[in-house]
C-alpha cells in the first residue's frame, strides 16, 4: 500500500521548539505529529459513537415510554437521604 502525506502546517518557531522539547528519546517530529493526529481521530470517533448511542437510547426511551426525570431524581434523593441518615446514626 502506498503511503500518503498529511499537509504540512506552519507554526510559530517558538511552538516548534516547544514541541521538539517534549519529544521522547529517539522520537521524530513526524512520529509525534502522526501519533497526535491518530489520537485525535480516535477521540473524535469515540465521541461520535457515544453521541450516536445516546441519541439512540433517547429515541428508544421515547418510543417505549420511559421514566420521567423527576421520578428518577426523587428516587435518587430518597436513597441519598437514607444513606445520610444511616451515616449520621453511625457517627
Amino acid at each position: 500500500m502506498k503511503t500518503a502525506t498529511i499537509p504540512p502546517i506552519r507554526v510559530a518557531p517558538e511552538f516548534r521548539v516547544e514541541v521538539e522539547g517534549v519529544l521522547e528519546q529517539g522520537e521524530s517530529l513526524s512520529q509525534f505529529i502522526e501519533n497526535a493526529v491518530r489520537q485525535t481521530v480516535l477521540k473524535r470517533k469515540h465521541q461520535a459513537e457515544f453521541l450516536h448511542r445516546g441519541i439512540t437510547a433517547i429515541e428508544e426511551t421515547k418510543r417505549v415510554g420511559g421514566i420521567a426525570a423527576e421520578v428518577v431524581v426523587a428516587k435518587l434523593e430518597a436513597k441519598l437521604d437514607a444513606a445520610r441518615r444511616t451515616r449520621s446514626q453511625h457517627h
Side-chain angles (χ1 to χ4, degrees):
M1 171 172 81
K2 279 188 158 183
T3 59
T5 303
I6 292 178
I9 57 170
R10 294 199 174 277
V11 297
E14 303 82 27
F15 183 64
R16 181 179 171 126
V17 169
E18 186 178 348
V19 172
E20 289 173 339
V22 299
L23 295 177
E24 294 180 357
Q25 183 74 26
E27 181 180 36
S28 70
L29 185 56
S30 294
Q31 290 169 325
F32 177 85
I33 292 169
E34 181 183 357
N35 185 43
V37 171
R38 285 183 185 280
Q39 288 179 7
T40 302
V41 168
L42 204 71
K43 177 183 172 189
R44 290 187 181 183
K45 283 182 176 182
H46 289 162
Q47 286 174 334
E49 291 167 4
F50 176 80
L51 287 173
H52 176 72
R53 287 192 312 270
I55 291 168
T56 301
I58 290 169
E59 290 170 351
E60 178 67 9
T61 299
K62 286 179 182 178
R63 189 179 67 75
V64 299
I67 301 171
E70 297 81 17
V71 173
V72 173
V73 170
K75 287 181 180 182
L76 291 171
E77 286 175 343
K79 287 182 180 185
L80 183 58
D81 289 341
R84 286 181 177 148
R85 283 191 302 275
T86 302
R87 183 173 184 209
S88 67
Q89 291 172 356
H90 290 87
H91 287 93

